[in-house]
Amino acid sequence: MASAMGDGHRRFLQALMSHGIVEGSEARRLHRRCCEVHKVYYAHDKLDDFINVINTRLQPLFMQIRKGISEDDGRTYYALVNLAETEITKMASDYAENELELFRKTMDLIICSENGFASSTDILNLVDQLETKKMKKKEAEQVLKNLVQDKWLSQREGEYTLHTRCIMEMEQYILNNYRDVAKKCNICHSLAIQSQACKSCGLGMHLPCAGKYFKAQTEPRCPKCNNFWPHEIPEINCTDSHLPSNSPGERRRASSSGTRRR
């Protein structure tokens, strides 16, 4: 029988609703705090069981606390996602129609790219292609800032990619609408935007997942076709978050060393 949802679970859910997405270590601290405040049994390795109790209550509301990894650093994240509305239209209350169109076109650039990134220059050039309502490039820059702040996009060194929250919330939407280019990681089975792919069979892996997988192998061979892996193996630190030691630029070079897109 499933455990009953108590005040500790409610406090955890309220905190996640406030933040939208939290890193794994923060989720573990929050779990412990909720159990201590409400004087319920706490076990450091029972976070997922704790969350499953909440998800049982959320299921009729078509919501779920979902676990995923960051493609940037391999860290675990937990996000509250809406399962009933998986399309970009769920953002309509926060963004104008032309801003949503710019986001859609930005997603096109990112998902169809070879390395999972789009430059700010390429994105800003999209403003002349908007069909809903034109916007100035200064306005587009503010939209991009808002998308980063709301955790739909991530930005560094003048390039943009999809934020972990965006991937977790819109995974099924992306898989349905980008069937020819969207792939799942062979290791964690989640949507892979920044990845490496085998040139022989097309199998793909997130960079952190590839680093972790090949670290345990005597030689880098594709787990599907057994051909030699043709890319530089991403380095990882020996931490429970599997944080790669590569800089952002190095991670992009490692990703782009093998074409995974059309």
Side-chain angles (χ1 to χ4, degrees):
M1 180 181 294
S3 302
M5 183 163 168
D7 289 339
H9 298 94
R10 295 186 184 91
R11 178 183 286 265
F12 186 96
L13 177 59
Q14 289 171 352
L16 198 53
M17 289 175 66
S18 175
H19 292 89
I21 184 170
V22 296
E23 195 265 329
S25 60
E26 177 60 27
R28 290 189 289 272
R29 286 193 293 269
L30 179 60
H31 173 217
R32 180 171 184 171
R33 176 64 176 164
C34 291
C35 291
E36 290 175 346
V37 168
H38 295 283
K39 296 180 172 58
V40 296
Y41 172 73
Y42 166 77
H44 70 88
D45 59 344
K46 297 296 183 181
L47 173 59
D48 287 350
D49 291 341
F50 183 86
I51 288 175
N52 285 340
V53 173
I54 302 174
N55 280 339
T56 300
R57 295 295 294 271
L58 291 177
Q59 186 175 4
L61 304 175
F62 299 100
M63 300 191 74
Q64 183 184 71
I65 298 175
R66 185 172 289 175
K67 181 179 180 181
I69 69 162
S70 166
E71 294 191 331
D72 294 323
D73 56 25
R75 294 182 185 274
T76 298
Y77 281 80
Y78 291 85
L80 182 64
V81 302
N82 188 332
L83 302 178
E85 300 178 0
T86 57
E87 298 187 8
I88 295 175
T89 50
K90 69 192 298 183
M91 302 161 60
S93 61
D94 299 319
Y95 293 90
E97 191 175 359
N98 61 338
E99 295 173 341
L100 291 179
E101 185 184 359
L102 179 63
F103 179 60
R104 288 189 186 95
K105 290 182 179 297
T106 300
M107 284 185 66
D108 289 345
L109 285 180
I110 292 171
I111 295 172
C112 295
S113 70
E114 293 184 357
N115 59 4
F117 286 86
S119 71
S120 57
T121 300
D122 288 342
I123 295 173
L124 292 176
N125 285 338
L126 294 172
V127 298
D128 296 328
Q129 304 173 25
L130 297 181
E131 299 177 359
T132 49
K133 180 183 177 183
K134 301 299 181 184
M135 69 170 69
K136 297 177 181 178
K137 289 191 176 182
K138 276 289 184 182
E139 295 172 327
E141 289 175 351
Q142 185 58 51
V143 173
L144 289 176
K145 288 180 181 179
N146 293 340
L147 290 167
V148 170
Q149 181 176 334
D150 292 340
K151 299 177 181 177
W152 295 109
L153 295 177
S154 293
Q155 184 274 337
R156 46 190 187 278
E157 299 180 10
E159 294 193 316
Y160 291 82
T161 189
L162 301 185
H163 193 280
T164 304
R165 175 200 177 187
C166 179
I167 295 173
M168 293 172 71
E169 288 229 26
M170 295 190 176
E171 177 171 345
Q172 197 56 51
Y173 170 83
I174 293 171
L175 289 171
N176 290 341
N177 288 274
Y178 297 88
R179 295 179 184 272
D180 293 337
V181 290
K183 290 186 177 182
K184 286 192 173 185
C185 173
N186 185 69
I187 303 301
C188 69
H189 308 294
S190 296
L191 175 67
I193 302 298
Q194 301 175 49
S195 67
Q196 295 179 341
C198 176
K199 292 183 178 179
S200 300
C201 68
L203 177 141
M205 298 186 203
H206 287 123
L207 301 189
C209 291
K212 180 184 176 184
Y213 176 80
F214 288 117
K215 188 174 186 290
Q217 308 302 312
T218 54
E219 59 180 358
R221 292 189 172 275
C222 175
K224 182 178 179 180
C225 68
N226 203 39
N227 282 345
F228 193 80
W229 195 252
H231 313 297
E232 178 184 352
I233 306 304
E235 295 181 5
I236 60 172
N237 290 331
C238 297
T239 66
D240 60 0
S241 63
H242 309 300
L243 177 65
S245 61
N246 305 60
S247 68
E250 288 171 336
R251 288 200 296 273
R252 286 195 292 278
R253 287 194 294 273
S255 176
S256 61
S257 64
T259 301
R260 65 175 184 88
R261 305 299 184 193
R262 59 190 175 202

